[in-house]
Amino acid sequence: MAGQTERTEETTVVILGGGPVGLFLANELSYRGIDYILIEQGEGKVYFPAGENFFSRTMEHMRRWGIASSFRNGTGFPPGMARNVGFCTRIGGKPLAFFPGTSNAGAPAADPYSPEGGFFYPKKEFDPALRRAAEARGGDLRYQTRLLFFKQERDAGHVDCTVEGPDKETYVIRGKWLAACDGGRSGVRKALGIRFAGTFGEGYNFATYFRCHGLSERLNAMFGNRMAQVHTLSDDRRAYLTSVDGDAEWRLSIYTEAAETLDPAEIVRPVIGPDLDFEVIQAQPWFGHRVVAERYRDGRVFLLGDAAHLRWPKGGFGANTGFGDAVDFGWKVAAVSEGWAPEALLDTYETERRPVAIRNTNEAANNRVLDHMIQPSPVLDEESPAGEAARKAMHEKLFALRLREFNTPGIQLGHRYRNSPVIVPDGSLEGPDDHMVYIPTTYPGARAPHFEFGDGSSILDHYGRGYTLVVTGNVSGADDFVRAGKALGIPVRAVHYTDAALRKLYECALVLVRPDGHVCWRGDTPPESAGSVWLAVSGRLLQPDAFHQTGCDELS
């Protein structure tokens, strides 16, 4: 353990980790005016691009920050290139199925449920762009800075993080909270003794990042469309290719029997064919897990992103789930820091986000199971009646089993914070929860639905800074309800609309939307006890959990 240091700096939140979730949290805190210091032991360079599929809900948060448009029209991926997915026997063989996608530029118009739609952006470009956005907001981001150990005490009201900077100087960063966004091997989680629940190593894979001119043209010719991802069924390795930059850079993944490091050139060559030149940039094995941390909080330390959950990359649920963690934690830290919510509100971070992680992690694992139900066969390539029949059967099977991975509006927009103590139930019957189906609803705990006004703006643009009471009828007492919240120091405003379509969509005349865009109360008339509702949704009725004493924690 390092000795005493002379210098101590103070901040509200210490963010450990400069990956996508840590950077997302940095932007969320900046948006809410909460100071932080982000520390990252690396230089911020992304060596292996993965996780490029970003959900419409993620883009809605970025829209709230004012940066969605710049990302959508950025240079990370061709804005007009659709994210088409195809299945074939082999490269140069027989096409089996084609799932059309939307482009970055076209996604907003194609999504009836979101003003943004999905987004495709390679991690090697996405992380630096998030970093620039955070720095533009005045964020304090410190790279090549390593956390040595941290210490929290029951009555101290802070957590001390001893760090080593790029010049090898050690000093203390004292934060009110520590947000551990330090990945699946999280040293903070290990130091706290928090275990993962679930199954590790459900399967093994090997991925190669390479450059190949001419591969795009070959794939496009097979399907008659520009392709973003192509899966093959030539053998049990089930090689699939994902475009990294919309041009010559690709990522190739295969299933393997065990955790092993292979010769990437010997993996790529039989997949793309003998005549195309290619250059291997990076290669690595990876593993499919289904695990979620047993708890997300220990005193003043919180786990976010991969530090709290690991899953199969089947559906793009990883980073997007972590971004949801960052938003939930961020608005609650702001509420506590601004003094209108108790520290116990932060206990609901785990209450709300852990079930979402379990849901998404299980869905990703289920996608992997369904994928393994697709068995390669040499008959699929035959020019014969048997081959034609096999291809037709496989086509139907792929749509039945594999389309669900690429069509997930229910996962993206339909998650609800069930059983949250800061959500007031109304006794209504909850609608279906299906990963492929999104049904707009203001059911308490759900994301408030998108509604487009005549000028092209979204009602979601009115949410984010505080609570918003959406009034869609001639209701007396609505302003009194708002005043009751303001009297408690809670930031809230009422917005009145007369649009009949909005009234139908929002189901009730009064809908109270939280700073994160989720409904926390609704009714056709103001509540009998306005104060009770405000005490509930702000967390003032909560009893704080017992503080887990950690003392001094060394990182392994």
Side-chain angles (χ1 to χ4, degrees):
M1 183 184 303
Q4 293 292 322
T5 59
E6 295 182 358
R7 179 160 64 99
T8 297
E9 300 184 30
E10 296 189 4
T11 190
T12 300
V13 180
V14 179
I15 302 174
L16 176 61
V21 174
L23 291 167
F24 210 85
L25 176 58
N27 280 278
E28 178 69 17
L29 293 178
S30 291
Y31 167 80
R32 299 198 180 278
I34 302 302
D35 63 289
Y36 65 87
I37 297 175
L38 181 150
I39 56 175
E40 161 59 45
Q41 63 180 2
E43 298 178 351
K45 183 177 180 180
V46 177
Y47 293 94
F48 196 93
E52 56 279 306
N53 184 28
F54 300 108
F55 289 167
S56 53
R57 186 59 177 149
T58 293
M59 291 302 294
E60 288 174 359
H61 294 310
M62 296 172 68
R63 177 188 181 98
R64 176 165 48 83
W65 304 337
I67 65 174
S69 180
S70 63
F71 272 67
R72 189 173 296 284
N73 298 309
T75 59
F77 197 80
M81 179 176 170
R83 300 184 295 278
N84 297 320
V85 178
F87 287 78
C88 62
T89 56
R90 54 184 171 79
I91 306 304
K94 303 289 188 181
L96 298 169
F98 175 77
F99 301 152
T102 56
S103 67
N104 286 346
D111 193 334
Y113 303 123
S114 172
E116 287 296 335
F119 182 65
F120 197 90
Y121 209 86
K123 179 179 170 63
K124 66 171 188 169
E125 302 288 349
F126 185 78
D127 287 17
L130 272 185
R131 174 181 178 177
R132 291 192 296 271
E135 291 173 339
R137 287 182 174 270
D140 190 342
L141 284 67
R142 305 183 185 183
Y143 288 80
Q144 295 180 281
T145 299
R146 184 166 62 99
L147 177 63
L148 301 177
F149 60 92
F150 63 95
K151 180 178 182 180
Q152 57 176 337
E153 298 177 356
R154 181 183 298 271
D155 301 318
H158 59 254
V159 53
D160 282 346
C161 302
T162 299
V163 304
E164 181 184 75
D167 57 0
K168 304 304 180 183
E169 176 194 9
T170 61
Y171 59 98
V172 172
I173 303 175
R174 173 169 292 173
K176 292 181 180 178
W177 318 100
L178 170 59
C181 308
D182 53 338
R185 295 186 175 90
S186 173
V188 170
R189 187 190 67 250
K190 293 174 182 177
L192 295 172
I194 298 176
R195 298 183 300 174
F196 272 135
T199 306
F200 285 99
E202 289 188 328
Y204 307 100
N205 308 263
F206 189 81
T208 303
Y209 170 37
F210 69 100
R211 183 179 294 107
C212 178
H213 295 281
L215 180 57
S216 291
E217 290 74 12
R218 178 162 296 178
L219 298 176
N220 299 345
M222 283 186 65
F223 291 91
N225 285 276
R226 197 173 180 185
M227 303 303 295
Q229 190 174 90
V230 173
H231 298 248
T232 69
L233 293 176
S234 60
D235 55 41
D236 290 336
R237 286 183 165 183
R238 302 285 306 282
Y240 67 93
L241 293 150
T242 300
S243 177
V244 172
D245 65 349
D247 184 20
E249 293 186 7
W250 293 86
R251 188 176 66 251
L252 169 64
S253 290
I254 62 169
Y255 289 116
T256 59
E257 294 297 323
E260 55 184 331
T261 299
L262 305 173
D263 183 339
E266 293 183 0
I267 300 299
V268 174
R269 174 55 67 200
V271 174
I272 68 171
D275 58 327
L276 291 177
D277 293 330
F278 66 92
E279 172 194 359
V280 172
I281 303 171
Q282 190 81 12
Q284 63 184 34
W286 58 270
F287 319 108
H289 306 301
R290 177 164 47 176
V291 294
V292 177
E294 292 182 333
R295 51 193 171 92
Y296 278 26
R297 178 181 185 180
D298 189 303
R300 294 186 168 274
V301 184
F302 297 79
L303 305 180
L304 290 81
D306 283 359
H309 39 78
L310 293 170
R311 78 238 45 83
W312 280 90
K314 292 290 185 182
F317 305 145
N320 290 286
T321 304
F323 298 154
D325 296 345
V327 171
D328 193 87
F329 175 74
W331 83 262
K332 290 171 181 175
V333 161
V336 174
S337 299
E338 292 165 3
W340 56 266
E343 290 188 3
L345 177 65
L346 288 166
D347 291 331
T348 68
Y349 163 66
E350 176 182 321
T351 307
E352 294 186 346
R353 292 305 302 171
R354 191 170 186 270
V356 174
I358 293 172
R359 172 188 189 241
N360 293 357
T361 298
N362 283 334
E363 180 58 28
N366 187 48
N367 283 337
R368 177 256 181 178
V369 171
L370 295 175
D371 185 32
H372 275 261
M373 293 173 66
I374 306 294
Q375 294 298 318
S377 168
V379 179
L380 290 168
D381 246 336
E382 288 184 2
E383 289 286 0
S384 66
E388 185 175 347
R391 288 190 291 275
K392 181 179 179 181
M394 180 59 73
H395 176 85
E396 295 174 354
K397 196 171 187 178
L398 287 167
F399 270 84
L401 299 179
R402 298 293 284 117
L403 177 61
R404 60 184 290 140
E405 178 180 331
F406 311 104
N407 185 21
T408 58
I411 289 284
Q412 298 188 38
L413 301 173
H415 64 276
R416 303 162 193 158
Y417 292 139
R418 300 177 180 86
N419 304 315
S420 170
V422 290
I423 300 291
V424 180
D426 65 353
S428 62
L429 182 66
E430 183 178 5
D433 181 9
D434 187 296
H435 79 285
M436 287 185 70
V437 178
Y438 170 66
I439 301 175
T441 180
T442 56
Y443 184 85
R447 158 194 170 269
H450 158 62
F451 180 83
E452 184 175 320
F453 297 107
D455 62 0
S457 66
S458 170
I459 195 172
L460 301 189
D461 297 333
H462 299 167
Y463 307 149
R465 295 293 183 184
Y467 289 81
T468 304
L469 181 65
V470 178
V471 184
T472 56
N474 186 17
V475 182
S476 62
D479 291 335
D480 291 335
F481 182 28
V482 170
R483 280 192 287 270
K486 289 182 176 180
L488 294 170
I490 298 171
V492 56
R493 68 189 184 101
V495 289
H496 297 258
Y497 304 101
T498 58
D499 194 299
L502 176 59
R503 172 66 180 84
K504 181 179 180 181
L505 176 66
Y506 267 56
E507 302 171 303
C508 293
L510 300 172
V511 176
L512 186 61
V513 182
R514 305 192 315 191
D516 63 343
H518 281 257
V519 176
C520 57
W521 174 90
R522 68 176 181 174
D524 284 323
T525 60
E528 292 184 5
S529 175
S532 296
V533 170
W534 286 117
L535 291 175
V537 300
S538 64
R540 299 189 194 191
L541 299 181
L542 299 172
Q543 295 297 319
D545 284 351
F547 186 98
H548 300 280
Q549 180 64 44
T550 58
C552 190
D553 299 279
E554 293 282 1
L555 299 187
S556 57

mmCIF file of all heavy atoms in Angstrom, residues 336-350:
data_model
loop_
_atom_site.group_PDB
_atom_site.id
_atom_site.type_symbol
_atom_site.label_atom_id
_atom_site.label_comp_id
_atom_site.label_asym_id
_atom_site.label_seq_id
_atom_site.Cartn_x
_atom_site.Cartn_y
_atom_site.Cartn_z
ATOM 1 N N VAL A 336 -29.359 14.014 -5.261
ATOM 2 C CA VAL A 336 -28.793 14.024 -3.909
ATOM 3 C C VAL A 336 -27.867 15.224 -3.738
ATOM 4 O O VAL A 336 -27.897 15.917 -2.706
ATOM 5 C CB VAL A 336 -28.050 12.700 -3.642
ATOM 6 C CG1 VAL A 336 -27.323 12.755 -2.306
ATOM 7 C CG2 VAL A 336 -29.033 11.527 -3.664
ATOM 8 N N SER A 337 -27.043 15.489 -4.735
ATOM 9 C CA SER A 337 -26.086 16.600 -4.651
ATOM 10 C C SER A 337 -26.783 17.949 -4.563
ATOM 11 O O SER A 337 -26.304 18.865 -3.885
ATOM 12 C CB SER A 337 -25.155 16.573 -5.870
ATOM 13 O OG SER A 337 -24.409 15.378 -5.923
ATOM 14 N N GLU A 338 -27.919 18.068 -5.242
ATOM 15 C CA GLU A 338 -28.668 19.326 -5.224
ATOM 16 C C GLU A 338 -29.520 19.484 -3.971
ATOM 17 O O GLU A 338 -30.085 20.557 -3.742
ATOM 18 C CB GLU A 338 -29.541 19.412 -6.479
ATOM 19 C CG GLU A 338 -28.711 19.573 -7.757
ATOM 20 C CD GLU A 338 -29.529 19.303 -9.023
ATOM 21 O OE1 GLU A 338 -30.757 19.050 -8.904
ATOM 22 O OE2 GLU A 338 -28.945 19.348 -10.119
ATOM 23 N N GLY A 339 -29.619 18.419 -3.188
ATOM 24 C CA GLY A 339 -30.253 18.516 -1.879
ATOM 25 C C GLY A 339 -31.742 18.260 -1.832
ATOM 26 O O GLY A 339 -32.344 18.375 -0.758
ATOM 27 N N TRP A 340 -32.371 17.895 -2.954
ATOM 28 C CA TRP A 340 -33.809 17.661 -2.897
ATOM 29 C C TRP A 340 -34.184 16.186 -2.787
ATOM 30 O O TRP A 340 -35.372 15.836 -2.757
ATOM 31 C CB TRP A 340 -34.521 18.312 -4.084
ATOM 32 C CG TRP A 340 -34.059 17.928 -5.450
ATOM 33 C CD1 TRP A 340 -33.140 18.586 -6.221
ATOM 34 C CD2 TRP A 340 -34.507 16.815 -6.227
ATOM 35 N NE1 TRP A 340 -32.989 17.951 -7.425
ATOM 36 C CE2 TRP A 340 -33.822 16.876 -7.466
ATOM 37 C CE3 TRP A 340 -35.425 15.788 -6.018
ATOM 38 C CZ2 TRP A 340 -34.022 15.926 -8.465
ATOM 39 C CZ3 TRP A 340 -35.629 14.843 -7.014
ATOM 40 C CH2 TRP A 340 -34.931 14.922 -8.212
ATOM 41 N N ALA A 341 -33.173 15.324 -2.701
ATOM 42 C CA ALA A 341 -33.417 13.895 -2.488
ATOM 43 C C ALA A 341 -32.410 13.377 -1.465
ATOM 44 O O ALA A 341 -31.274 13.862 -1.396
ATOM 45 C CB ALA A 341 -33.288 13.126 -3.800
ATOM 46 N N PRO A 342 -32.800 12.383 -0.659
ATOM 47 C CA PRO A 342 -31.877 11.823 0.334
ATOM 48 C C PRO A 342 -30.891 10.865 -0.313
ATOM 49 O O PRO A 342 -31.115 10.384 -1.432
ATOM 50 C CB PRO A 342 -32.823 11.074 1.283
ATOM 51 C CG PRO A 342 -33.929 10.605 0.396
ATOM 52 C CD PRO A 342 -34.123 11.717 -0.618
ATOM 53 N N GLU A 343 -29.819 10.563 0.399
ATOM 54 C CA GLU A 343 -28.841 9.618 -0.130
ATOM 55 C C GLU A 343 -29.449 8.247 -0.379
ATOM 56 O O GLU A 343 -28.975 7.490 -1.224
ATOM 57 C CB GLU A 343 -27.646 9.506 0.816
ATOM 58 C CG GLU A 343 -26.783 10.757 0.857
ATOM 59 C CD GLU A 343 -25.501 10.572 1.651
ATOM 60 O OE1 GLU A 343 -25.271 9.432 2.127
ATOM 61 O OE2 GLU A 343 -24.745 11.543 1.797
ATOM 62 N N ALA A 344 -30.525 7.935 0.343
ATOM 63 C CA ALA A 344 -31.177 6.634 0.158
ATOM 64 C C ALA A 344 -31.727 6.463 -1.253
ATOM 65 O O ALA A 344 -31.958 5.334 -1.694
ATOM 66 C CB ALA A 344 -32.310 6.464 1.175
ATOM 67 N N LEU A 345 -31.927 7.561 -1.978
ATOM 68 C CA LEU A 345 -32.386 7.447 -3.364
ATOM 69 C C LEU A 345 -31.407 6.617 -4.183
ATOM 70 O O LEU A 345 -31.808 5.891 -5.106
ATOM 71 C CB LEU A 345 -32.544 8.839 -3.988
ATOM 72 C CG LEU A 345 -32.949 8.878 -5.471
ATOM 73 C CD1 LEU A 345 -34.352 8.306 -5.663
ATOM 74 C CD2 LEU A 345 -32.873 10.301 -6.019
ATOM 75 N N LEU A 346 -30.127 6.692 -3.846
ATOM 76 C CA LEU A 346 -29.116 5.959 -4.596
ATOM 77 C C LEU A 346 -29.235 4.451 -4.407
ATOM 78 O O LEU A 346 -28.709 3.682 -5.226
ATOM 79 C CB LEU A 346 -27.721 6.443 -4.210
ATOM 80 C CG LEU A 346 -27.375 7.847 -4.733
ATOM 81 C CD1 LEU A 346 -26.147 8.397 -4.044
ATOM 82 C CD2 LEU A 346 -27.174 7.821 -6.240
ATOM 83 N N ASP A 347 -29.926 4.006 -3.352
ATOM 84 C CA ASP A 347 -30.164 2.572 -3.205
ATOM 85 C C ASP A 347 -31.029 2.042 -4.340
ATOM 86 O O ASP A 347 -30.955 0.861 -4.703
ATOM 87 C CB ASP A 347 -30.849 2.271 -1.869
ATOM 88 C CG ASP A 347 -29.938 2.515 -0.671
ATOM 89 O OD1 ASP A 347 -28.713 2.378 -0.833
ATOM 90 O OD2 ASP A 347 -30.452 2.842 0.409
ATOM 91 N N THR A 348 -31.861 2.912 -4.907
ATOM 92 C CA THR A 348 -32.759 2.455 -5.961
ATOM 93 C C THR A 348 -32.044 2.274 -7.294
ATOM 94 O O THR A 348 -32.632 1.744 -8.237
ATOM 95 C CB THR A 348 -33.938 3.433 -6.147
ATOM 96 O OG1 THR A 348 -33.458 4.678 -6.682
ATOM 97 C CG2 THR A 348 -34.653 3.684 -4.836
ATOM 98 N N TYR A 349 -30.794 2.692 -7.383
ATOM 99 C CA TYR A 349 -30.021 2.424 -8.597
ATOM 100 C C TYR A 349 -29.962 0.922 -8.833
ATOM 101 O O TYR A 349 -30.258 0.430 -9.930
ATOM 102 C CB TYR A 349 -28.618 3.028 -8.475
ATOM 103 C CG TYR A 349 -27.627 2.463 -9.465
ATOM 104 C CD1 TYR A 349 -27.779 2.690 -10.831
ATOM 105 C CD2 TYR A 349 -26.546 1.685 -9.038
ATOM 106 C CE1 TYR A 349 -26.881 2.160 -11.748
ATOM 107 C CE2 TYR A 349 -25.649 1.159 -9.946
ATOM 108 C CZ TYR A 349 -25.817 1.383 -11.294
ATOM 109 O OH TYR A 349 -24.936 0.852 -12.196
ATOM 110 N N GLU A 350 -29.603 0.168 -7.812
ATOM 111 C CA GLU A 350 -29.568 -1.294 -7.950
ATOM 112 C C GLU A 350 -30.972 -1.860 -8.140
ATOM 113 O O GLU A 350 -31.191 -2.743 -8.975
ATOM 114 C CB GLU A 350 -28.920 -1.929 -6.722
ATOM 115 C CG GLU A 350 -28.940 -3.453 -6.742
ATOM 116 C CD GLU A 350 -28.338 -4.066 -5.485
ATOM 117 O OE1 GLU A 350 -27.329 -3.526 -4.981
ATOM 118 O OE2 GLU A 350 -28.880 -5.083 -5.018
#
